[in-house]
Each structure stands twice: as structure tokens, then as C-alpha cells.
């Protein structure tokens, strides 16, 4: 994979170069921004994931707040697993023995090297949801990560809704809208002719210092709609900025405009 990154890059990506590219893209100093990323799609970067995180922190500066999804979907109900599925005889063992979610130590799951690096940076705070947590660094970090509700963890009680209130930016680094978690908030806000389907979920958490398996509900999402939604947002509103970061493609937009557009787009989709 590193060989592919070298082949894609005309020159190495650097902290200084990426900070300049982000400024050219239009990310302002002092911004609150949620970032989704793929290190390999940025070409070869001197310093790897650490350099990308450093560049992002320098780009927003001390007055800005950097946010990333730090999801841990390996802490879910094992009977629902399909990639890979596990034998039914394992389910109760997994429920009773999997370590509880700990914001300080639980690793992310298939979120990428940049996210995994960011969650351990000094000063980073992480919300307490066992499967769809978010990490943040900056003056608004605590307000964004506090109070993350267990039920509907990507809805109104989530850091996504706090980002909406802050009129934050969304930055996609080398990834498309299928990785854009803000569109889950649009799913919650879409008006559908029937109540949206919710799934029963379970995870190991700490309650009063004691490990427990708790159950909660979440929306049955459909990320297959996110790419066409994102393409329509860019084409219809003209509010998506596109430019290079490293040797990859970055997309920058306001989260509030995207979520509002997405909720309307999904509402119309459900009524057709």
C-alpha cells in the first residue's frame, strides 16, 4: 500500500504543504471542522498520519476545533455481524467478555490511520458512546463531545447535532460522501411517510465503574444513498469546494447547508 502511495505522489506531502493547501481550499483559521480521511489516498506523506493531524491542527489554529469520528463498531451486538459472521455459540461469550468501551483506550475500528492517531493526541476529548463516539480538540471540544446519548447516537443527542449548532465545516480528505457521517444527522431529520425503522443494539459499557452489557436503539441507516446525495448537493448548491491536499482530493463544505439539503433530499426520496 505504501508503494502505491509513492506511485501516486509527484512529491511527498508535508505538514507545511498541506496547511497551505487547506488554506487555499478555504478552510479558515479558527474553524470548527469535522474531518473524514484516507491516508493512503493522500499519496505519500512525510510523517504519515501524525503529519496529517499536525497539519489539520495548524490549519485551524488554537482558536479552531478539530473533530473526527472515532467509531468502534466491533462493540456491537454479535448476532448482527455479517462480515464476518461468528457462530451463535460465541454470542454470549462475546456479550459477557468483551472489554467495556473506554474513551481513553478503546481503539477505533476501520476508521483509518489518521483517526487512530488523532484520538491519542494530547488534549483530545472523546465522547462516551460505545460504538459511534467522536473525538475533538480545541476550545469547543468539551461542548461537542459531552452528553452523547446512547439511543440514536448519530441523531439530536450526538456531537453531529452540536456541530450543526456551531455551523461547522465538513472536510473530506481523499474520501467521498459515503464516509460523511454528517449525512446520518440528515437521515434523522428527514420527514418520512412512515416512522423510520430502528434497530435494537447492544454494547459493553461501564456503569458506575462496573462493566455491563446495555441495549439501546439506533436508526437503520442506508449509506448507499450518501454518494448520490453528495453529488446532488455539489451540483445543485455549488457549495462544495474541491482541491488538492497532499496528492489526494479534498472536499470542503458547511455542515449546516449539507444537512439541511440532505434532509430535504432524503424526504423527497422517501415520498417517491
Amino acid at each position: 500500500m505504501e508503494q502505491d502511495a509513492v506511485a501516486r505522489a509527484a512529491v511527498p506531502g508535508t505538514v507545511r504543504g498541506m496547511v497551505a493547501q487547506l488554506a487555499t481550499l478555504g478552510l479558515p483559521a479558527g474553524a470548527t471542522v469535522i474531518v473524514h480521511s484516507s491516508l493512503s489516498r493522500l499519496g505519500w506523506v512525510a510523517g504519515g498520519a501524525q503529519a496529517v493531524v499536525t497539519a489539520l491542527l495548524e490549519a485551524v489554529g488554537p482558536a479552531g476545533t478539530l473533530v473526527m469520528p472515532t467509531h468502534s463498531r466491533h462493540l456491537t451486538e454479535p448476532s448482527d455481524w455479517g462480515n464476518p459472521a461468528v457462530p451463535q455459540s460465541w454470542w454470549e461469550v462475546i456479550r459477557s467478555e468483551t472489554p467495556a468501551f473506554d474513551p481513553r483506550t478503546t481503539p477505533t475500528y476501520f476508521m483509518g490511520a489518521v483517526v487512530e492517531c488523532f484520538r491519542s493526541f494530547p488534549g483530545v476529548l472523546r465522547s462516551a458512546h460505545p460504538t459511534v463516539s467522536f473525538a475533538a480538540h480545541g476550545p469547543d471540544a468539551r461542548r461537542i463531545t459531552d452528553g452523547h446519548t446512547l439511543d440514536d447516537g448519530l441523531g439530536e443527542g450526538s456531537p453531529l447535532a452540536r456541530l450543526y449548532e456551531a455551523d461547522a465545516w465538513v472536510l473530506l480528505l481523499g474520501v467521498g460522501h459515503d464516509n460523511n457521517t454528517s449525512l446520518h444527522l440528515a437521515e434523522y431529520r428527514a420527514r418520512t411517510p412512515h416512522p423510520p425503522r430502528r434497530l435494537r443494539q447492544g454494547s459493553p459499557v461501564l456503569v458506575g465503574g462496573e462493566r455491563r452489557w446495555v441495549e439501546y436503539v439506533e436508526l437503520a441507516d442506508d449509506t448507499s444513498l450518501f454518494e448520490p446525495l453528495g453529488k446532488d448537493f455539489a451540483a445543485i448548491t455549488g457549495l462544495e469546494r474541491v482541491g488538492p491536499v497532499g496528492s489526494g482530493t479534498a472536499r470542503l463544505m458547511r455542515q449546516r447547508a449539507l444537512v439541511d439539503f440532505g434532509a430535504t433530499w432524503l424526504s423527497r426520496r422517501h415520498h417517491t
Side-chain angles (χ1 to χ4, degrees):
M1 184 174 289
E2 189 167 6
Q3 185 175 1
D4 293 339
V6 171
R8 272 199 299 274
V11 294
T14 64
V15 172
R16 184 168 56 178
M18 288 185 290
V19 170
Q21 289 173 317
L22 288 166
T24 299
L25 185 64
L27 181 64
T32 295
V33 58
I34 178 169
V35 178
H36 307 77
S37 60
S38 168
L39 178 62
S40 64
R41 293 180 188 171
L42 301 181
W44 195 86
V45 175
Q50 180 185 1
V52 176
V53 174
T54 300
L56 289 164
L57 290 171
E58 289 190 12
V60 299
T65 300
L66 179 62
V67 182
M68 296 188 197
T70 48
H71 298 178
S72 43
R73 285 286 188 179
H74 56 298
L75 301 184
T76 51
E77 168 52 49
S79 62
D80 294 334
W81 294 355
N83 190 25
V86 295
Q88 185 172 351
S89 60
W90 294 13
W91 294 352
E92 195 49 48
V93 176
I94 292 168
R95 293 186 191 112
S96 61
E97 299 295 335
T98 300
F101 173 78
D102 185 329
R104 299 164 299 176
T105 59
T106 298
T108 58
Y109 186 70
F110 280 95
M111 298 302 294
V114 174
V115 169
E116 185 61 16
C117 180
F118 175 64
R119 76 171 180 86
S120 62
F121 255 58
V124 169
L125 303 179
R126 190 178 183 187
S127 69
H129 198 284
T131 62
V132 290
S133 65
F134 291 78
H137 180 283
D140 212 18
R142 187 164 300 281
R143 190 188 71 82
I144 289 168
T145 56
D146 274 358
H148 195 166
T149 60
L150 191 58
D151 286 324
D152 294 326
L154 296 173
E156 301 303 334
S158 76
L160 294 175
R162 306 293 78 77
L163 288 164
Y164 183 94
E165 293 166 359
D167 197 17
W169 297 82
V170 174
L171 176 63
L172 306 178
L173 288 178
V175 298
H177 285 280
D178 53 338
N179 293 99
N180 192 343
T181 56
S182 291
L183 293 178
H184 289 294
L185 183 59
E187 286 187 303
Y188 274 96
R189 294 184 175 181
R191 299 190 178 191
T192 60
H194 306 289
R197 188 166 67 93
R198 281 175 163 76
L199 304 175
R200 176 66 59 179
Q201 189 54 272
S203 298
V205 301
L206 291 172
V207 180
E210 179 182 335
R211 181 204 177 279
R212 294 185 189 174
W213 183 266
V214 298
E215 292 190 344
Y216 51 98
V217 294
E218 61 184 15
L219 199 66
D221 58 44
D222 184 4
T223 58
S224 68
L225 298 175
F226 286 7
E227 273 297 324
L229 191 167
K231 288 179 180 177
D232 280 354
F233 171 77
I236 293 169
T237 70
L239 296 177
E240 181 178 281
R241 307 176 187 183
V242 181
V245 170
S247 295
T249 299
R251 301 178 184 278
L252 180 69
M253 66 221 73
R254 287 282 193 175
Q255 194 229 34
R256 189 176 290 175
L258 176 69
V259 169
D260 289 348
F261 178 91
T264 300
W265 190 95
L266 291 167
S267 297
R268 290 173 179 164
R269 181 88 174 211
H270 287 303
H271 282 86
T272 57

